[in-house]
Amino acid sequence: MFHLILKTLWTRRRRNAWLLAELILVAVLSWAIFDPVIVVTHDRMLPLGYDADRLCLVSMDALQPSAPGYDSSSAEPGALMESYLHIIDRVRQHTDVEQATPLMGFSYPGSQGSMSSSYRAEGDTAQNGTDVYVIQFLPHTHFFETYGFRPGKGLTPAELSDHAYGVNDLVIDENTLDYLFHTDDPRHKRFWECDEKDTTYINIIGTVGSVKFYSDQRPIPLAFLPGKEEDMARDYMPADARILIRLKEGVSMDRFLHDFKPWMLQNLRAGNLYARDLKTYRQGIAEAEAWSSTPIYRRNLLVAVFFLVNLCLGVVGTFWLQTRTRREEVGVMLSFGATPGHIVRLLLGEGAVLTTLGTLVGCFIYLQYAISEGFSKGAMWNDILRPEYWTDYFWTHFLFVSFIVYAILLLVVSVGVYIPARKISRIPPTEALRDE
C-alpha cells in the first residue's frame, strides 16, 4: 500500500505541492507559538519545594498615634517585636494550626519582592560570584518545618530552625549546593568573600530540598539568612511582617478561613500591633504571578489556542475539500473491487505522508533559527545556570517539541481526511461515477 500511496501522491503532485507548502508554513508557525507555552507550562508544573496547600499568611499592621488605644511605649521596634512574637504564640494555640512562624521582609518564596547577594564557593577563583536570592528568617521560630521544606542531607528542618547560628552562617537549598559545589553533602562547605584587607568565610550549616523562589520558574540559587530580632524589627515592622501558618493535616482550608478570620480580628492584638488580613499562600502566589508573568502567559496561551482553532479549521477544511473532490477516483477503485476500509486507509496514508514531509521541512527551517537564537527559556529573565531539565538540552528540546507539533498536525490532517473519506468510500460506484 505504501508504494501505491507514493505513486498516487506523485500523480497528484501539483495539487499536493500546495498542501505541502501549507503544512510547512503551519509547522514553522506552530513551533514559534507552541514552544514558549510548552516551556512555561513545564516550569510552572515543577514542584514548589514546600507545602503551599496547607499554608496561610496573616498580614500585620500597627495603630497610628491618633488611633484609640495607641500606646506610645509599645511603638518602639523592640516592643513591636515582642508583641509580634506574642501574637504568633497565640496563633500556635489555635486548634486547627499545626505550626506558625514569623515571615518578615519582602523576599520569600512566591513573593513580589526579592533580595539577592553575590556568593562564591570556597576554592572558586572566578572574579564574579553567583547571584543568590536571600530569604531572611528568625532562628528558633520553627521557620523551616512550618514551610514544610523537604529535608536535605545533614540537619533536619526542625534542627535547622533551632540551630545556634553565628554571624557568618546560613542555609541553602539542594539546587544551590549542587550548582556551586557539585555535591549533595553540605558538610564543611563554605562561601568566601575577599576585600583589600581580609577574607571572610560563610559557613553552610545545612540544606533543604530544592525550592522555587518564583512559582512560574525553575529553582534558582537561594539562601536562608538568619537575622536578629532587633535588626529585623527595625527594618520590617510592621508593614513587612507576616505570620506564616501551617494547618494540621486534614483541616479544610475553606472552613479554616471562614472560622479563623473572626477569631483573628478579635484575639490577635498585642500592644499597638494587630492582625489585619488573612489569605492563603496560594492566593499570595497568584497575586505575585498576576503582577509579573500571568498576563504574558495567558496571552501566549490564548494565542496558542486561537492558532490551534484556526489551524484545525484551515487545515481540516483544506483536506476535507481535497478529499471530497476525489469522489470519481474513489468510484473507480470501488468498481475494481477496493473495499471502503482500503480506500480510507489509502487516503489517510497520503495525508500522513504529506504531514510527515511538511513537519520535517518546517522543523528543519525553524532549527536554523534556533541554532542562531536558541529556544524559549520560558519566564526566566536570568541566564540558565546549567542543564537540568529536558528544556535545557538542545536536541532533546527540539525533538520533544517537534514531536508535539507533528502529533497535532497529524491529528488535524487525519480528521480532515477521515470524515469525508469514510463518506465517499461508502457510496455505490454507479453514483460516484455518474458524472464521468
Side-chain angles (χ1 to χ4, degrees), residues 368-426:
Q368 310 314 304
Y369 168 81
I371 291 174
S372 173
E373 301 296 331
F375 296 121
S376 171
K377 297 195 302 182
M380 297 282 290
W381 60 76
N382 47 344
D383 292 334
I384 295 174
L385 299 177
R386 71 194 189 284
E388 188 173 2
Y389 306 101
W390 66 264
T391 54
D392 304 330
Y393 295 93
F394 186 90
W395 290 110
T396 304
H397 188 143
F398 174 73
L399 293 174
F400 185 83
V401 178
S402 295
F403 175 78
I404 292 177
V405 170
Y406 175 65
I408 292 174
L409 290 181
L410 186 61
L411 176 63
V412 170
V413 169
S414 297
V415 171
V417 171
Y418 176 77
I419 297 177
R422 187 174 183 274
K423 290 183 178 180
I424 63 176
S425 66
R426 281 166 170 74

Short mmCIF file of all heavy atoms in Angstrom, two decimals, residues 368-426:
data_model
loop_
_atom_site.label_atom_id
_atom_site.label_comp_id
_atom_site.label_asym_id
_atom_site.label_seq_id
_atom_site.Cartn_x
_atom_site.Cartn_y
_atom_site.Cartn_z
N GLN A 368 17.09 26.12 11.96
CA GLN A 368 18.12 27.07 11.57
C GLN A 368 18.03 28.35 12.41
O GLN A 368 19.05 28.93 12.80
CB GLN A 368 17.97 27.42 10.07
CG GLN A 368 17.87 26.22 9.15
CD GLN A 368 18.92 25.15 9.46
OE1 GLN A 368 20.13 25.43 9.46
NE2 GLN A 368 18.48 23.94 9.72
N TYR A 369 16.81 28.76 12.71
CA TYR A 369 16.62 29.92 13.59
C TYR A 369 17.06 29.60 15.01
O TYR A 369 17.73 30.41 15.66
CB TYR A 369 15.15 30.35 13.57
CG TYR A 369 14.79 31.35 14.65
CD1 TYR A 369 15.07 32.70 14.48
CD2 TYR A 369 14.20 30.92 15.83
CE1 TYR A 369 14.74 33.61 15.47
CE2 TYR A 369 13.87 31.83 16.82
CZ TYR A 369 14.15 33.18 16.64
OH TYR A 369 13.83 34.07 17.63
N ALA A 370 16.72 28.40 15.49
CA ALA A 370 17.04 28.02 16.87
C ALA A 370 18.55 27.90 17.08
O ALA A 370 19.06 28.22 18.15
CB ALA A 370 16.35 26.71 17.23
N ILE A 371 19.27 27.43 16.09
CA ILE A 371 20.72 27.32 16.21
C ILE A 371 21.33 28.70 16.45
O ILE A 371 22.31 28.85 17.20
CB ILE A 371 21.32 26.66 14.95
CG1 ILE A 371 20.91 25.18 14.89
CG2 ILE A 371 22.83 26.79 14.92
CD1 ILE A 371 21.32 24.49 13.61
N SER A 372 20.75 29.72 15.84
CA SER A 372 21.27 31.08 15.98
C SER A 372 20.76 31.77 17.24
O SER A 372 21.52 32.39 17.97
CB SER A 372 20.90 31.91 14.75
OG SER A 372 21.25 33.26 14.92
N GLU A 373 19.45 31.64 17.52
CA GLU A 373 18.83 32.41 18.60
C GLU A 373 18.48 31.58 19.84
O GLU A 373 18.22 32.14 20.89
CB GLU A 373 17.55 33.08 18.07
CG GLU A 373 17.78 34.01 16.89
CD GLU A 373 18.65 35.20 17.26
OE1 GLU A 373 18.63 35.60 18.44
OE2 GLU A 373 19.35 35.72 16.38
N GLY A 374 18.47 30.25 19.70
CA GLY A 374 18.11 29.42 20.83
C GLY A 374 16.61 29.24 20.96
O GLY A 374 15.81 29.88 20.27
N PHE A 375 16.22 28.34 21.87
CA PHE A 375 14.81 28.08 22.12
C PHE A 375 14.30 28.98 23.25
O PHE A 375 15.06 29.71 23.88
CB PHE A 375 14.60 26.61 22.49
CG PHE A 375 14.96 25.64 21.40
CD1 PHE A 375 15.93 24.68 21.60
CD2 PHE A 375 14.32 25.70 20.17
CE1 PHE A 375 16.27 23.79 20.60
CE2 PHE A 375 14.64 24.81 19.16
CZ PHE A 375 15.62 23.85 19.37
N SER A 376 13.02 28.90 23.51
CA SER A 376 12.41 29.70 24.57
C SER A 376 12.95 29.27 25.94
O SER A 376 13.16 28.09 26.21
CB SER A 376 10.89 29.53 24.54
OG SER A 376 10.29 30.13 25.67
N LYS A 377 13.17 30.25 26.82
CA LYS A 377 13.57 29.99 28.21
C LYS A 377 12.39 30.11 29.16
O LYS A 377 12.58 30.08 30.38
CB LYS A 377 14.67 30.96 28.64
CG LYS A 377 15.97 30.83 27.86
CD LYS A 377 17.10 31.54 28.58
CE LYS A 377 16.81 33.00 28.81
NZ LYS A 377 17.92 33.71 29.47
N GLY A 378 11.19 30.28 28.63
CA GLY A 378 10.04 30.42 29.49
C GLY A 378 10.01 31.80 30.13
O GLY A 378 10.30 32.81 29.50
N ALA A 379 9.68 31.83 31.43
CA ALA A 379 9.59 33.09 32.16
C ALA A 379 10.92 33.52 32.76
O ALA A 379 10.98 34.54 33.45
CB ALA A 379 8.54 32.98 33.27
N MET A 380 11.99 32.75 32.53
CA MET A 380 13.30 33.07 33.09
C MET A 380 13.86 34.32 32.41
O MET A 380 13.96 34.37 31.19
CB MET A 380 14.27 31.91 32.90
CG MET A 380 13.87 30.63 33.62
SD MET A 380 14.24 30.67 35.36
CE MET A 380 16.03 30.59 35.34
N TRP A 381 14.20 35.34 33.22
CA TRP A 381 14.86 36.51 32.64
C TRP A 381 16.37 36.49 32.90
O TRP A 381 17.11 37.23 32.29
CB TRP A 381 14.27 37.81 33.19
CG TRP A 381 14.37 37.96 34.67
CD1 TRP A 381 15.48 38.29 35.40
CD2 TRP A 381 13.32 37.79 35.60
NE1 TRP A 381 15.19 38.33 36.72
CE2 TRP A 381 13.85 38.04 36.89
CE3 TRP A 381 11.96 37.46 35.48
CZ2 TRP A 381 13.09 37.95 38.04
CZ3 TRP A 381 11.22 37.39 36.65
CH2 TRP A 381 11.77 37.63 37.90
N ASN A 382 16.80 35.65 33.84
CA ASN A 382 18.24 35.49 34.05
C ASN A 382 18.72 34.25 33.32
O ASN A 382 17.93 33.41 32.88
CB ASN A 382 18.57 35.41 35.54
CG ASN A 382 17.66 34.44 36.28
OD1 ASN A 382 16.62 34.07 35.76
ND2 ASN A 382 18.05 34.04 37.46
N ASP A 383 20.02 34.11 33.20
CA ASP A 383 20.59 33.00 32.44
C ASP A 383 20.34 31.67 33.14
O ASP A 383 20.31 31.58 34.37
CB ASP A 383 22.10 33.19 32.27
CG ASP A 383 22.43 34.36 31.37
OD1 ASP A 383 21.57 34.70 30.53
OD2 ASP A 383 23.52 34.94 31.52
N ILE A 384 20.14 30.63 32.32
CA ILE A 384 20.03 29.27 32.87
C ILE A 384 21.43 28.81 33.25
O ILE A 384 22.34 28.78 32.42
CB ILE A 384 19.40 28.33 31.83
CG1 ILE A 384 17.94 28.77 31.57
CG2 ILE A 384 19.43 26.89 32.32
CD1 ILE A 384 17.27 27.99 30.47
N LEU A 385 21.62 28.48 34.51
CA LEU A 385 22.96 28.23 35.04
C LEU A 385 23.56 26.94 34.52
O LEU A 385 24.74 26.87 34.22
CB LEU A 385 22.91 28.21 36.57
CG LEU A 385 22.43 29.53 37.21
CD1 LEU A 385 22.34 29.38 38.72
CD2 LEU A 385 23.37 30.67 36.85
N ARG A 386 22.76 25.90 34.42
CA ARG A 386 23.29 24.61 33.97
C ARG A 386 22.14 23.78 33.43
O ARG A 386 20.99 23.96 33.84
CB ARG A 386 23.97 23.87 35.11
CG ARG A 386 22.99 23.34 36.17
CD ARG A 386 23.72 22.91 37.42
NE ARG A 386 22.87 22.21 38.35
CZ ARG A 386 21.97 22.81 39.13
NH1 ARG A 386 21.79 24.12 39.04
NH2 ARG A 386 21.24 22.11 39.98
N PRO A 387 22.41 22.86 32.51
CA PRO A 387 21.35 21.98 32.02
C PRO A 387 20.80 21.11 33.15
O PRO A 387 21.57 20.46 33.87
CB PRO A 387 22.06 21.13 30.95
CG PRO A 387 23.28 21.90 30.59
CD PRO A 387 23.69 22.63 31.83
N GLU A 388 19.49 21.14 33.31
CA GLU A 388 18.88 20.38 34.40
C GLU A 388 17.63 19.65 33.96
O GLU A 388 17.36 18.54 34.42
CB GLU A 388 18.56 21.34 35.55
CG GLU A 388 18.10 20.67 36.83
CD GLU A 388 17.95 21.66 37.97
OE1 GLU A 388 18.17 22.87 37.75
OE2 GLU A 388 17.62 21.23 39.09
N TYR A 389 16.84 20.25 33.09
CA TYR A 389 15.60 19.65 32.61
C TYR A 389 15.69 19.44 31.10
O TYR A 389 16.60 19.93 30.45
CB TYR A 389 14.41 20.54 32.96
CG TYR A 389 14.32 20.89 34.43
CD1 TYR A 389 14.77 22.12 34.89
CD2 TYR A 389 13.84 19.97 35.36
CE1 TYR A 389 14.70 22.44 36.24
CE2 TYR A 389 13.78 20.27 36.70
CZ TYR A 389 14.21 21.51 37.14
OH TYR A 389 14.16 21.82 38.47
N TRP A 390 14.73 18.73 30.55
CA TRP A 390 14.78 18.43 29.13
C TRP A 390 14.74 19.70 28.29
O TRP A 390 15.27 19.74 27.17
CB TRP A 390 13.63 17.50 28.73
CG TRP A 390 12.25 18.09 28.87
CD1 TRP A 390 11.40 17.95 29.91
CD2 TRP A 390 11.56 18.90 27.90
NE1 TRP A 390 10.23 18.64 29.67
CE2 TRP A 390 10.31 19.22 28.44
CE3 TRP A 390 11.90 19.39 26.65
CZ2 TRP A 390 9.38 20.01 27.77
CZ3 TRP A 390 10.97 20.18 25.97
CH2 TRP A 390 9.73 20.48 26.53
N THR A 391 14.15 20.78 28.83
CA THR A 391 14.08 22.03 28.08
C THR A 391 15.46 22.67 27.92
O THR A 391 15.64 23.57 27.08
CB THR A 391 13.15 23.02 28.79
OG1 THR A 391 13.57 23.17 30.16
CG2 THR A 391 11.71 22.51 28.77
N ASP A 392 16.45 22.24 28.72
CA ASP A 392 17.79 22.84 28.66
C ASP A 392 18.69 22.16 27.63
O ASP A 392 19.72 22.73 27.27
CB ASP A 392 18.47 22.76 30.03
CG ASP A 392 17.63 23.40 31.12
OD1 ASP A 392 16.90 24.34 30.80
OD2 ASP A 392 17.70 22.96 32.28
N TYR A 393 18.33 20.97 27.21
CA TYR A 393 19.17 20.22 26.27
C TYR A 393 18.66 20.46 24.85
O TYR A 393 17.49 20.17 24.54
CB TYR A 393 19.16 18.74 26.61
CG TYR A 393 19.80 18.44 27.94
CD1 TYR A 393 19.03 18.37 29.09
CD2 TYR A 393 21.18 18.24 28.05
CE1 TYR A 393 19.61 18.11 30.34
CE2 TYR A 393 21.77 17.97 29.27
CZ TYR A 393 20.98 17.91 30.41
OH TYR A 393 21.56 17.66 31.63
N PHE A 394 19.53 20.97 24.00
CA PHE A 394 19.12 21.47 22.69
C PHE A 394 18.36 20.42 21.89
O PHE A 394 17.22 20.65 21.45
CB PHE A 394 20.35 21.95 21.91
CG PHE A 394 20.01 22.61 20.61
CD1 PHE A 394 19.78 23.97 20.54
CD2 PHE A 394 19.91 21.86 19.43
CE1 PHE A 394 19.46 24.58 19.32
CE2 PHE A 394 19.60 22.45 18.22
CZ PHE A 394 19.36 23.82 18.17
N TRP A 395 18.97 19.26 21.67
CA TRP A 395 18.35 18.27 20.80
C TRP A 395 17.15 17.61 21.44
O TRP A 395 16.16 17.30 20.76
CB TRP A 395 19.38 17.23 20.36
CG TRP A 395 20.39 17.80 19.41
CD1 TRP A 395 21.69 18.05 19.64
CD2 TRP A 395 20.13 18.24 18.07
NE1 TRP A 395 22.29 18.62 18.53
CE2 TRP A 395 21.35 18.74 17.54
CE3 TRP A 395 19.00 18.26 17.25
CZ2 TRP A 395 21.46 19.25 16.26
CZ3 TRP A 395 19.11 18.76 15.96
CH2 TRP A 395 20.33 19.25 15.48
N THR A 396 17.19 17.40 22.74
CA THR A 396 16.01 16.86 23.42
C THR A 396 14.84 17.83 23.32
O THR A 396 13.70 17.43 23.04
CB THR A 396 16.33 16.57 24.89
OG1 THR A 396 17.45 15.70 24.98
CG2 THR A 396 15.15 15.94 25.60
N HIS A 397 15.13 19.10 23.54
CA HIS A 397 14.11 20.15 23.42
C HIS A 397 13.54 20.17 22.00
O HIS A 397 12.32 20.19 21.81
CB HIS A 397 14.74 21.49 23.77
CG HIS A 397 13.77 22.62 23.88
ND1 HIS A 397 13.89 23.62 24.80
CD2 HIS A 397 12.65 22.93 23.18
CE1 HIS A 397 12.90 24.48 24.67
NE2 HIS A 397 12.14 24.07 23.67
N PHE A 398 14.43 20.16 21.03
CA PHE A 398 13.99 20.22 19.63
C PHE A 398 13.13 19.02 19.26
O PHE A 398 12.06 19.17 18.65
CB PHE A 398 15.21 20.31 18.71
CG PHE A 398 14.87 20.23 17.25
CD1 PHE A 398 14.28 21.30 16.61
CD2 PHE A 398 15.14 19.08 16.53
CE1 PHE A 398 13.97 21.24 15.26
CE2 PHE A 398 14.83 19.00 15.18
CZ PHE A 398 14.24 20.08 14.54
N LEU A 399 13.57 17.83 19.62
CA LEU A 399 12.83 16.63 19.24
C LEU A 399 11.49 16.54 19.96
O LEU A 399 10.48 16.13 19.36
CB LEU A 399 13.68 15.38 19.54
CG LEU A 399 14.94 15.21 18.68
CD1 LEU A 399 15.76 14.03 19.16
CD2 LEU A 399 14.57 15.05 17.21
N PHE A 400 11.46 16.94 21.23
CA PHE A 400 10.21 16.83 22.01
C PHE A 400 9.14 17.77 21.44
O PHE A 400 8.00 17.37 21.21
CB PHE A 400 10.49 17.16 23.48
CG PHE A 400 9.29 16.95 24.37
CD1 PHE A 400 8.99 15.70 24.87
CD2 PHE A 400 8.47 18.01 24.70
CE1 PHE A 400 7.89 15.51 25.69
CE2 PHE A 400 7.37 17.84 25.52
CZ PHE A 400 7.08 16.58 26.02
N VAL A 401 9.50 19.04 21.24
CA VAL A 401 8.52 20.00 20.71
C VAL A 401 8.16 19.65 19.27
O VAL A 401 6.99 19.78 18.87
CB VAL A 401 9.06 21.43 20.82
CG1 VAL A 401 8.07 22.43 20.22
CG2 VAL A 401 9.35 21.80 22.27
N SER A 402 9.13 19.17 18.50
CA SER A 402 8.82 18.76 17.12
C SER A 402 7.83 17.61 17.11
O SER A 402 6.92 17.57 16.26
CB SER A 402 10.11 18.33 16.40
OG SER A 402 10.99 19.41 16.25
N PHE A 403 7.96 16.69 18.06
CA PHE A 403 7.01 15.58 18.14
C PHE A 403 5.61 16.09 18.47
O PHE A 403 4.62 15.60 17.91
CB PHE A 403 7.48 14.58 19.19
CG PHE A 403 6.50 13.45 19.43
CD1 PHE A 403 6.42 12.39 18.55
CD2 PHE A 403 5.65 13.47 20.52
CE1 PHE A 403 5.51 11.36 18.75
CE2 PHE A 403 4.74 12.46 20.75
CZ PHE A 403 4.67 11.39 19.85
N ILE A 404 5.52 17.07 19.38
CA ILE A 404 4.21 17.63 19.71
C ILE A 404 3.60 18.31 18.50
O ILE A 404 2.40 18.13 18.20
CB ILE A 404 4.35 18.62 20.89
CG1 ILE A 404 4.73 17.87 22.17
CG2 ILE A 404 3.05 19.39 21.10
CD1 ILE A 404 4.94 18.77 23.37
N VAL A 405 4.40 19.09 17.77
CA VAL A 405 3.91 19.75 16.55
C VAL A 405 3.45 18.71 15.54
O VAL A 405 2.38 18.84 14.93
CB VAL A 405 5.01 20.65 15.95
CG1 VAL A 405 4.61 21.15 14.57
CG2 VAL A 405 5.31 21.82 16.88
N TYR A 406 4.25 17.65 15.38
CA TYR A 406 3.89 16.59 14.42
C TYR A 406 2.60 15.89 14.82
O TYR A 406 1.73 15.63 13.98
CB TYR A 406 5.04 15.59 14.33
CG TYR A 406 4.74 14.40 13.46
CD1 TYR A 406 4.53 14.54 12.09
CD2 TYR A 406 4.68 13.12 14.00
CE1 TYR A 406 4.26 13.45 11.28
CE2 TYR A 406 4.41 12.02 13.20
CZ TYR A 406 4.20 12.18 11.84
OH TYR A 406 3.93 11.10 11.05
N ALA A 407 2.46 15.60 16.12
CA ALA A 407 1.26 14.91 16.59
C ALA A 407 0.01 15.76 16.36
O ALA A 407 -1.04 15.24 15.96
CB ALA A 407 1.42 14.57 18.08
N ILE A 408 0.12 17.08 16.62
CA ILE A 408 -1.04 17.96 16.41
C ILE A 408 -1.41 18.02 14.93
O ILE A 408 -2.59 17.89 14.56
CB ILE A 408 -0.72 19.37 16.96
CG1 ILE A 408 -0.60 19.33 18.48
CG2 ILE A 408 -1.81 20.36 16.54
CD1 ILE A 408 -0.16 20.65 19.09
N LEU A 409 -0.41 18.21 14.07
CA LEU A 409 -0.69 18.28 12.64
C LEU A 409 -1.25 16.97 12.11
O LEU A 409 -2.18 16.96 11.28
CB LEU A 409 0.58 18.66 11.87
CG LEU A 409 1.09 20.09 12.06
CD1 LEU A 409 2.34 20.31 11.21
CD2 LEU A 409 0.02 21.09 11.67
N LEU A 410 -0.69 15.86 12.56
CA LEU A 410 -1.17 14.56 12.10
C LEU A 410 -2.61 14.32 12.52
O LEU A 410 -3.43 13.81 11.73
CB LEU A 410 -0.27 13.45 12.65
CG LEU A 410 -0.54 12.03 12.14
CD1 LEU A 410 -0.34 11.97 10.62
CD2 LEU A 410 0.37 11.02 12.84
N LEU A 411 -2.95 14.73 13.74
CA LEU A 411 -4.33 14.57 14.21
C LEU A 411 -5.28 15.43 13.39
O LEU A 411 -6.35 14.96 12.96
CB LEU A 411 -4.41 14.94 15.69
CG LEU A 411 -5.80 14.92 16.32
CD1 LEU A 411 -6.38 13.50 16.29
CD2 LEU A 411 -5.76 15.45 17.74
N VAL A 412 -4.89 16.68 13.16
CA VAL A 412 -5.76 17.60 12.42
C VAL A 412 -5.96 17.11 10.98
O VAL A 412 -7.09 17.09 10.46
CB VAL A 412 -5.16 19.02 12.44
CG1 VAL A 412 -5.91 19.94 11.48
CG2 VAL A 412 -5.20 19.59 13.86
N VAL A 413 -4.87 16.72 10.33
CA VAL A 413 -4.98 16.24 8.95
C VAL A 413 -5.79 14.95 8.89
O VAL A 413 -6.62 14.77 7.97
CB VAL A 413 -3.57 16.02 8.35
CG1 VAL A 413 -3.66 15.28 7.02
CG2 VAL A 413 -2.87 17.36 8.16
N SER A 414 -5.61 14.06 9.84
CA SER A 414 -6.35 12.80 9.86
C SER A 414 -7.85 13.04 9.98
O SER A 414 -8.66 12.38 9.33
CB SER A 414 -5.86 11.91 11.00
OG SER A 414 -4.50 11.56 10.82
N VAL A 415 -8.24 14.01 10.80
CA VAL A 415 -9.66 14.35 10.93
C VAL A 415 -10.18 14.90 9.61
O VAL A 415 -11.28 14.55 9.15
CB VAL A 415 -9.87 15.38 12.07
CG1 VAL A 415 -11.31 15.90 12.06
CG2 VAL A 415 -9.56 14.74 13.41
N GLY A 416 -9.39 15.79 8.98
CA GLY A 416 -9.82 16.38 7.72
C GLY A 416 -9.92 15.38 6.59
O GLY A 416 -10.66 15.61 5.62
N VAL A 417 -9.20 14.27 6.68
CA VAL A 417 -9.24 13.25 5.63
C VAL A 417 -10.27 12.17 5.96
O VAL A 417 -11.04 11.73 5.08
CB VAL A 417 -7.85 12.62 5.44
CG1 VAL A 417 -7.93 11.41 4.51
CG2 VAL A 417 -6.87 13.65 4.89
N TYR A 418 -10.32 11.74 7.20
CA TYR A 418 -11.10 10.55 7.55
C TYR A 418 -12.60 10.75 7.33
O TYR A 418 -13.27 9.88 6.75
CB TYR A 418 -10.84 10.17 9.01
CG TYR A 418 -11.68 9.01 9.48
CD1 TYR A 418 -11.36 7.71 9.12
CD2 TYR A 418 -12.82 9.22 10.26
CE1 TYR A 418 -12.14 6.64 9.53
CE2 TYR A 418 -13.61 8.16 10.68
CZ TYR A 418 -13.27 6.87 10.31
OH TYR A 418 -14.04 5.82 10.72
N ILE A 419 -13.14 11.87 7.79
CA ILE A 419 -14.60 12.04 7.73
C ILE A 419 -15.11 12.03 6.29
O ILE A 419 -16.02 11.25 5.95
CB ILE A 419 -15.01 13.33 8.47
CG1 ILE A 419 -14.66 13.21 9.96
CG2 ILE A 419 -16.52 13.58 8.30
CD1 ILE A 419 -14.95 14.46 10.76
N PRO A 420 -14.56 12.86 5.39
CA PRO A 420 -15.06 12.77 4.00
C PRO A 420 -14.66 11.47 3.32
O PRO A 420 -15.42 10.94 2.47
CB PRO A 420 -14.40 13.98 3.31
CG PRO A 420 -13.21 14.29 4.14
CD PRO A 420 -13.58 13.95 5.54
N ALA A 421 -13.51 10.91 3.64
CA ALA A 421 -13.10 9.64 3.03
C ALA A 421 -14.04 8.52 3.42
O ALA A 421 -14.37 7.65 2.60
CB ALA A 421 -11.67 9.30 3.47
N ARG A 422 -14.47 8.53 4.64
CA ARG A 422 -15.40 7.49 5.10
C ARG A 422 -16.73 7.60 4.37
O ARG A 422 -17.36 6.59 4.03
CB ARG A 422 -15.60 7.62 6.61
CG ARG A 422 -16.42 6.49 7.22
CD ARG A 422 -16.44 6.62 8.74
NE ARG A 422 -17.16 5.52 9.35
CZ ARG A 422 -18.47 5.49 9.54
NH1 ARG A 422 -19.20 6.53 9.13
NH2 ARG A 422 -19.07 4.44 10.10
N LYS A 423 -17.18 8.83 4.11
CA LYS A 423 -18.45 9.02 3.42
C LYS A 423 -18.38 8.60 1.96
O LYS A 423 -19.25 7.87 1.46
CB LYS A 423 -18.88 10.48 3.54
CG LYS A 423 -19.30 10.89 4.94
CD LYS A 423 -19.77 12.34 4.96
CE LYS A 423 -20.25 12.73 6.35
NZ LYS A 423 -20.72 14.15 6.39
N ILE A 424 -17.34 9.08 1.25
CA ILE A 424 -17.30 8.79 -0.19
C ILE A 424 -16.91 7.34 -0.46
O ILE A 424 -17.16 6.83 -1.56
CB ILE A 424 -16.32 9.73 -0.91
CG1 ILE A 424 -14.89 9.53 -0.43
CG2 ILE A 424 -16.74 11.18 -0.74
CD1 ILE A 424 -13.87 10.37 -1.20
N SER A 425 -16.30 6.65 0.50
CA SER A 425 -15.93 5.25 0.28
C SER A 425 -17.12 4.31 0.45
O SER A 425 -17.00 3.12 0.14
CB SER A 425 -14.82 4.85 1.25
OG SER A 425 -15.28 4.86 2.59
N ARG A 426 -18.25 4.86 0.93
CA ARG A 426 -19.42 4.01 1.15
C ARG A 426 -20.58 4.30 0.19
O ARG A 426 -21.68 3.77 0.37
CB ARG A 426 -19.90 4.18 2.60
CG ARG A 426 -19.04 3.38 3.58
CD ARG A 426 -19.27 3.79 5.03
NE ARG A 426 -18.62 2.86 5.93
CZ ARG A 426 -17.32 2.79 6.15
NH1 ARG A 426 -16.51 3.59 5.49
NH2 ARG A 426 -16.80 1.90 6.99
#
